Amino acid sequence: GAGVSQSPSNKVTEKGKDVELRCDPISGHTALYWYRQSLGQGLEFLIYFQGNSAPDKSGLPSDRFSAERTGGSVSTLTIQRTQQEDSAVYLCASSRAGTSEETQYFGPGTRLLVL
Amino acid sequence: AQSVSQHNHHVILSEAASLELGCNYSYGGTVNLFWYVQYPGQHLQLLLKYFSGDPLVKGIKGFEAEFIKSKFSFNLRKPSVQWSDTAEYFCAVNATNAGNNRKLIWGLGTSLAVNP
């Protein structure tokens, strides 16, 4: 079946502009995660969605970052007033939550470059 | 706070050599453990995982890992590497008592290059 998809695959933007990154999870997966992979810093958790519950935003680095998940499926991560330090690969993962052996499956990522 | 440490940042091997990549974690509670692999130009893929039971787990492509609870370790092994194993390898953990959010805590990754 189809895996997690993300778009765009690459995004170049100017400092100060807003960007939107999209994630389409695996069908039937109720849990969705966003991570960021920065050079030299590894992967870090950003935000978690599960069904209709309030998201866990504890990993968002600043209030310029926000995310939403509409209809329990597609998610959009928005970065406002981008800064150069936002340059990274943004990864989305989904999982079938509620199982004892929950496993996250990743999309190809969006590579963001802020000039 | 949880953390994951991967000891080797860059490893270079010749084909048929044996591989062991170290992974240690810091967390006082029960964890689930994962190894993910990222081949050049591809996205992260699950290599193997440990939730409970037999501490020696086998994954795809001949990889295995052993969970040693007393050492907080989950080292990845392969007896004989191939050129196609050239990739970046990531160790990750999550806590079983973290509620519904099973966010992964990651090591920095190990870049493996296998020379033909």
Side-chain angles (χ1 to χ4, degrees), chain A residues 4 23 25-33 35 48-51 69 72 92-99 101-106, chain B residues 34 36 51 94 100-104:
Chain A
V4 178
C23 171
I26 294 171
S27 178
H29 282 191
T30 57
L32 187 149
Y33 300 78
Y35 295 87
Y48 161 73
F49 294 92
Q50 164 55 17
R69 190 178 184 192
C92 176
S94 71
S95 66
R96 194 181 302 277
T99 63
E101 299 192 354
E102 181 182 332
T103 301
Q104 295 173 37
Y105 296 90
F106 284 80
Chain B
F34 306 83
Y36 282 85
F51 293 99
N94 62 16
N100 292 324
N101 184 353
R102 299 293 174 90
K103 64 181 180 184
L104 291 167

Side-chain angles (χ1 to χ4, degrees), chain A residues 40-87:
Chain A
Q41 293 194 23
L43 286 120
E44 55 179 337
F45 163 78
L46 296 177
I47 188 168
Y48 161 73
F49 294 92
Q50 164 55 17
N52 295 321
S53 302
D56 180 340
K57 306 178 182 180
S58 59
L60 295 178
S62 78
D63 58 8
R64 295 185 296 104
F65 288 71
S66 64
E68 61 178 20
R69 190 178 184 192
T70 52
S73 181
V74 171
S75 177
T76 303
L77 177 69
T78 301
I79 310 174
Q80 295 178 307
R81 305 181 303 281
T82 52
Q83 303 294 310
Q84 289 180 331
E85 61 262 27
D86 299 334
S87 296

Side-chain angles (χ1 to χ4, degrees), chain B:
Chain B
Q2 299 173 55
S3 66
V4 177
S5 174
Q6 291 184 241
H7 316 300
N8 320 97
H9 298 297
H10 300 281
V11 174
I12 301 174
L13 296 173
S14 297
E15 276 195 317
S18 64
L19 170 71
E20 180 159 2
L21 301 182
C23 173
N24 285 86
Y25 67 93
S26 172
Y27 183 66
T30 306
V31 295
N32 301 315
L33 299 134
F34 306 83
W35 276 96
Y36 282 85
V37 60
Q38 189 166 27
Y39 297 102
Q42 297 187 28
H43 61 276
L44 278 167
Q45 300 174 40
L46 181 69
L47 199 55
L48 47 77
K49 57 190 176 182
Y50 173 82
F51 293 99
S52 63
D54 188 344
L56 183 63
V57 292
K58 296 191 184 298
I60 60 172
K61 304 187 179 185
F63 285 90
E64 65 179 32
E66 185 176 12
F67 172 46
I68 303 180
K69 189 174 181 180
S70 61
K71 294 185 178 180
F72 298 89
S73 71
F74 190 55
N75 292 355
L76 181 71
R77 300 195 292 251
K78 185 171 183 177
S80 176
V81 295
Q82 300 173 310
W83 176 77
S84 58
D85 293 325
T86 295
E88 188 104 16
Y89 293 81
F90 295 91
C91 181
V93 306
N94 62 16
T96 61
N97 62 348
N100 292 324
N101 184 353
R102 299 293 174 90
K103 64 181 180 184
L104 291 167
I105 307 300
W106 299 83
L108 289 179
T110 297
S111 175
L112 172 65
V114 179
N115 295 323

